[in-house]
Structures are given as C-alpha cells and as structure tokens.
Amino acid sequence: MRLLSALLMFGVLACLAASGAATARGVVRVPLYAVGYESKSSLQAALERAPAHIVHRFPRLRVVEVRPLSRRFASRARNEAGIAYVERVHPRRSAVEPALFQTSSGVPYEWQFAAARAEAVPADVLRAASRVTIAVIDTGADLQAPDLAVKTPQAYSLRTGSMDVRDVNGHGTFVAALAAGSPTNGEGIAGFGGDARLLVIKAIGTDGTMSDLEEASAIVYAVDHGARVINLSVGGTETSETEKRGIEYAAAHGVLLVAAAGNEFEQGNPVEYPAALLQPVGSQGRGGIGLAVGASNRSGGRASFSNVGSQISLTAPGEGVLSALSSAAPATDYLRFSLPGSTAGLYGFGSGTSFAAPEVAGAAALVMAANPLLHATEVADVLKQAASGRGSWTPELGFGVLDTGAAVSQAAGRATISLSGARSGAAVRLRWIGSGATAYRLSLREDNRAPRILLEGTTQTTSTAGVRRGHRTTFTVTALGAGGQALASASYVTR
C-alpha cells in the first residue's frame, strides 16, 4: 500500500545546459527565465537589447516568463537598468513515497478533530466563518465529494484558465476537505474551517509539476478573488525571487499564508520553502508573515517524519488523519476506509505535514470569524499563543499542537466594540470604545427606514446627533479593520 506523499516536494529537475538540452529527437529546448522588472518601459528597453520571447506575463508581480533568443540573454539582461533579477524558472515535481503510517479500522474516525479541540468552537463562530474564503493551491479537488460539493466552491485551473479542477492525483481533495469540508451536511468528515467558503486553484498539472511562477501566480489569483487564508501544502529546499514576490503580494493585502514544514526529518531535516519564507529560519517561531506547520501524532508528540527547526510555527495532527478522497485518483494511493454511517463519498487515511497545514488554515478562518478586526499576522500570533505550548516554543513542536477552541476564545476576547449614549432634549451624545480598529462607521436608523451613515471611516470616538421625539432612533457603530474587516456594536436606541 502506498500513500501519496503528504508534502508535494519542490524538486528541481535536472538542469538544462546554458545552450539548451537536446531532446530525444535532437531538438534544442531553450530554458525559460523569470525576469523581475521595475516598470514596463524598463522591461521593454531591456528586451530590445537582450532579445527574448515573452511566454507569460504576471503584471501583478511585475514578472515575465521569457524564452531567450540568445545564449547570452541572462548575463546581458541582468545588467539592464530597471531589471530587478533574472533567474531560471524552477520546475517543481510532486513525489510519491511509501506510506508513513499504517492505520487499521480500529482508529477513531476523525481523531484529529478532537485532538486539535475543533469541537470546542461555538456554533455561531462556525457560521460566521462563511465571511472568510480559504484558498487551496494544489492538485485540484473532486468537487463532487460530499463535504466539498455542499460548499459550492469557486474553482480555477491555472494551466487551462477554466473551472476544470478535476483531481487525478488526490492530494488536493484530501487537503481541501481538511481545510473547509462541511461540518453540517451529515456526511463524511468535518473540516476545520466551519462554514468558510472554499476556493480551489489547480496549479499542479497531471505531470505532477508546478513552477515557482505558477505558484506565485496562483497566490495572486487567490488574493484577487477574495481569499483571506491561503493553504500551500507544498515545499522544497530552494526558493526564488518570484516566489518571494508572490508571498509578499499576499502579505501586503492582509492575507494569511499557511505552509507545510516538510516530511524529511529522517532524510536530513532540510529547511523547506515556502514555509521558511513565512516563518524565517532563526525566528524561533516568532514574527514572520505566515505559519510554517509541522505534524503531530495521536499522543501529541512530533510525528517522526515532521521536520524540526527554528522556522516551525506550530504543529497540528498529521499522522494517519482521515479525510475525503478523490474519485478520479488511483485507489491505491491512500488507505481507504469504509466510514460507518456514510452513504456517499470516499474516505481514507494519510500522513504528512501537508495534512497538518490545512487544519491550521481552517482554524485561522475561525479565528477571523471570531474577531474580524484581526490582521493576518495577529491571527497567526493568536494561533501560536493558544497552541498547547501556551507561549513556550521548541524546535520540535513550535508553539505546540493546534488548539482551535482556545484560539477562537482568545480571538473573541480581543474583539471589543461598545457604544453608549446620553440624551438631552433633541440631541444625543454618543461615545464608543473599540479595540483593534483602525477606523469606525457611525450609522443611524429611524423607525423602519433604511439606515444612513453619519460618519464613515472616522477615527473619532464621540459624536452628537439629533433625534426626533416620537420616533425610534437606532445608532450603531461598526469597528473597521485594516483589511476591510468589520465588527458592529450593540445598538443604542432612543424613542
């Protein structure tokens, strides 16, 4: 029995010679390059002096993928004004490994849900998560899987530009269900994200490869289509300026990135990217712009395969976890399990940090639902501090095992917005207090009429408004976060 590798490995293929690699038919294949530029004019000028054919444009990243028309393209282009970098496009490949862990049918069905205290999240927070979109960049997903179908996910294939995200690999389906599988459809498993919406981006082809340009482009697509959390269950030992630009784009837009830390502890424990771009080496889990997630086992310790180091943010259950399977993937890739009480869908067990990361991504959506004012980095900090280490960090577990219930509770405690008032004749003096807000919106509603905004985007915390006798006037203050998040106060009513 073989399981799909729980981490899609970014393995660099055999490098092509500078002059190109000869194919079996003798045709010279010229390597592709990524060119980072400062402006369109500087790019145009550079390509006039160092000719190349533009294969793809990534304007949001200010990057183009080119096929050189000269062997000296790279050395010439690097010296042109306004060119930030020129680097080879890194092909990345998924790798299949033997099963890391064999599970019998005697294992509790979805043990990871209780182990990460996901059942401790209040129902109203699970429902409120419908305001948050989780993007899963992976091999696609089986959108007919019951726990995914009920979510009616957005879907996009980066390679075809279509909505066809059919998952012949199975990895993406397994990941997507853990992050955002429905917890209320009475079928299959419960995902960690409550009612969070799901965006499935298929960025890895049937050949099992994804370039760094494709990864960055997928991140940009996710951000531009409303994702607040992005899951990257991929990794490898090399990074690039293009990958960094994609991650910086997400961070600049207040989007939380969650990545798998790697499964190679017994193969030398290498530092994996993009995880180490989110939680830098040497940080000891502090700071950073996202979360690097390791895997824990059923006893709460580190899974034997999970990488360790100063770049680990926290861990989540990743050894023998249960999730949904793709009907289009080979039946031998996961240990299939006939789920008692289930009447539809396919289910099975898998192991790896790939499957720990989406649990954290789902929990992040719940933290955002509990406190819409939190910035992405604050959400990451809440998840770290609420984990089982309770503020203590180790290179094996980071800040400890994910504690979803505690994270939601801590986030809710940070969300405060209150409104009070004092009436004097035809005037009401209003005062409000909030935490974590960058601005406020004050609105008024008289009787059953449509609300109207009195103050928009104000930083003041007091105001005076007129009211009419014999009419019910309702005032509400909404606290606004830096990323457009909003949290409304209880209303103040006069008659």
Side-chain angles (χ1 to χ4, degrees), residues 67-360:
R67 192 180 301 281
L69 300 180
S70 166
R71 294 183 180 182
R72 299 180 62 187
F73 166 78
S75 59
R76 288 177 176 176
R78 286 190 181 102
N79 294 322
E80 292 295 327
I83 298 302
Y85 62 87
V86 178
E87 60 188 8
R88 292 279 288 270
V89 172
H90 298 288
R92 294 168 173 182
R93 181 173 297 277
S94 61
V96 178
E97 299 176 354
L100 296 170
F101 182 79
Q102 292 291 335
T103 308
S104 70
S105 59
V107 173
Y109 305 141
E110 195 178 354
W111 70 269
Q112 70 267 20
F113 202 71
R117 295 193 65 244
E119 82 288 352
V121 177
D124 63 323
V125 175
L126 296 175
R127 305 292 83 78
S130 63
R131 299 192 296 262
V132 181
T133 296
I134 302 172
V136 172
I137 297 173
D138 217 291
T139 62
D142 183 350
L143 301 186
Q144 300 306 310
D147 286 301
L148 301 184
V150 73
K151 289 291 188 80
T152 58
Q154 295 174 262
Y156 179 71
S157 172
L158 194 68
R159 294 199 170 187
T160 66
S162 70
M163 296 175 61
D164 182 5
V165 294
R166 185 170 180 264
D167 183 16
V168 298
N169 185 300
H171 190 269
T173 301
F174 204 98
V175 168
L178 287 170
S182 174
T184 58
N185 65 333
E187 180 59 70
I189 70 160
F192 276 65
D195 286 352
R197 297 189 296 272
L198 176 63
L199 168 58
V200 174
I201 301 176
K202 183 174 182 177
I204 300 171
T206 54
D207 61 352
T209 65
M210 175 177 69
S211 74
D212 50 352
L213 271 171
E214 287 172 320
E215 178 201 339
S217 184
I219 290 173
V220 170
Y221 184 91
V223 173
D224 290 350
H225 287 78
R228 290 195 61 200
V229 183
I230 297 176
N231 186 83
L232 292 163
S233 288
V234 292
T237 57
E238 295 190 9
T239 185
S240 70
E241 291 301 318
T242 300
E243 182 177 47
K244 292 174 185 176
R245 284 197 177 190
I247 287 171
E248 288 166 359
Y249 185 84
H253 287 77
V255 176
L256 179 64
L257 289 158
V258 181
N263 304 327
E264 291 72 45
F265 177 78
E266 296 174 346
Q267 287 78 47
N269 189 45
V271 173
E272 296 280 347
Y273 298 92
L277 294 178
L278 309 181
Q279 187 73 69
V281 173
S283 66
Q284 295 185 327
R286 293 174 174 80
I289 58 174
L291 295 168
V293 183
S296 59
N297 55 31
R298 285 177 291 169
S299 64
R302 180 184 64 85
S304 61
F305 52 82
S306 184
N307 288 2
V308 303
S310 58
Q311 74 281 9
I312 305 299
S313 304
L314 75 166
T315 54
E319 187 175 85
V321 297
L322 179 70
S323 190
L325 305 182
S326 171
S327 60
T332 55
D333 281 345
Y334 292 84
L335 182 59
R336 292 201 175 188
F337 179 59
S338 181
L339 189 60
S342 178
T343 60
L346 299 172
Y347 306 93
F349 292 96
S351 297
T353 57
S354 255
F355 307 143
E359 296 169 356
V360 173

Side-chain angles (χ1 to χ4, degrees), residues 426-439:
V428 172
R429 180 68 172 172
L430 300 163
R431 182 183 300 274
W432 54 91
I433 300 174
S435 63
T438 58

